[in-house]
Amino acid sequence: MKKYNQSDLLITGLGVTSAIGQGKAAFTSALMKGQHNFGIMRRPGRQKETSFLGAEIPSLSYPERLS
């Protein structure tokens, strides 16, 4: 079994990020209200000349502690 050093440490997630909310509180609130964000993809390059349905993340924000 490989032993890991502190320099091998990787952050692989920042919490909940979804189309209905970013962060635990926003996601839980939307989930409990039965909200969704499914619809025709709007961002350029996503439609592929069809009415492709999906759930886009409208905007993404990063925690202040993350450079």
Side-chain angles (χ1 to χ4, degrees), residues 5-63:
N5 299 325
Q6 189 172 8
S7 62
D8 292 331
L9 179 67
L10 299 173
I11 298 173
T12 60
L14 295 172
V16 177
T17 299
S18 78
I20 61 170
Q22 186 172 353
K24 183 179 173 181
F27 176 77
T28 302
S29 176
L31 191 64
M32 294 303 206
K33 292 176 185 175
Q35 296 176 335
H36 68 84
N37 200 17
F38 285 96
I40 296 172
M41 301 298 251
R42 302 281 182 213
R43 288 188 296 183
R46 300 287 184 181
Q47 302 88 350
K48 302 198 186 280
E49 299 178 15
T50 66
S51 295
F52 184 76
L53 296 178
E56 294 179 303
I57 297 172
S59 64
L60 188 61
S61 60
Y62 299 97

